[in-house]
Amino acid sequence: MLSADYFSRNTSCFPLFADSKDERSRSFSIYFAEISTTHPIGGPLVLKNAAIIPYIPVSDMSRARKFYEQKIGLKAKEEYAGGVIYECGKGSWIFMYPSAGAGTSKASTAFWTVDDVAAEVRELKARGVFFEEYDMPGVKTVNGIATGGGAKTAWFKDSEGNILAISQRVAA
């Protein structure tokens, strides 16, 4: 970690642009110069081709596992780093992990794309999943399903208060 003294001696807080004979400045400059020339913009490190994995925070792992495995029918693939990996369709997966921040987001944590949202809602309701009802500008659910923007979507909360959704694309 660089000290406040280091930055006060330099004209810039970015080592690449620092005007100093300090060895740390030179090594950082070389490091950043190597990064910028090794992978130009649009190179192999662009995230557009990388898989993304939803992380779902939970406060009670035992309770959450019962919900995910018994209510929504996921199968645990692996226990990892104190959490659980669940495989989903088409090679996708989610990682459920213990966190004090579980259920604090007011937005959807993750959603599954399905072919028939009404059939999925019926099945999940039969397993004891409760679907949210919304009536606000732009979103009104009927029997737990909202239609609009080219999709039919239904939202539910897991045992930890996380908002999850299932969604079906439809012709607009």
Side-chain angles (χ1 to χ4, degrees), residues 3-135:
S3 67
D5 177 59
Y6 171 78
F7 290 110
S8 68
R9 289 180 294 141
N10 291 284
T11 57
S12 171
C13 64
F14 297 102
L16 178 60
F17 303 110
D19 182 21
S20 170
K21 296 188 191 276
D22 185 319
E23 181 59 36
R24 290 175 297 188
S25 176
R26 282 197 307 277
S27 64
F28 278 122
S29 295
I30 292 167
Y31 173 76
F32 285 114
E34 286 175 2
I35 288 175
S36 65
T37 58
T38 304
H39 299 290
I41 293 175
L45 296 180
V46 177
L47 293 178
K48 71 180 183 175
N49 296 321
I52 187 166
I53 313 308
Y55 275 41
I56 298 178
V58 301
S59 56
D60 183 318
M61 285 295 289
S62 177
R63 178 180 61 208
R65 286 193 72 161
K66 284 180 185 172
F67 180 86
Y68 281 85
E69 293 168 21
Q70 295 172 9
K71 297 246 185 197
I72 63 173
L74 298 183
K75 291 188 132 192
K77 177 183 178 184
E78 176 183 352
E79 291 185 12
Y80 177 76
V84 179
I85 294 171
Y86 289 102
E87 278 189 308
C88 297
K90 300 179 182 177
S92 65
W93 50 287
I94 60 174
F95 178 64
M96 183 177 72
Y97 68 102
S99 171
T104 58
S105 177
K106 295 187 184 342
S108 299
T109 301
F111 74 92
W112 287 266
T113 57
V114 298
D115 293 328
D116 186 345
V117 76
E120 295 289 339
V121 167
R122 281 192 303 277
E123 175 65 26
L124 289 167
K125 280 184 177 181
R127 292 171 169 253
V129 175
F130 173 78
F131 283 83
E132 301 295 308
E133 293 290 343
Y134 296 114
D135 188 0

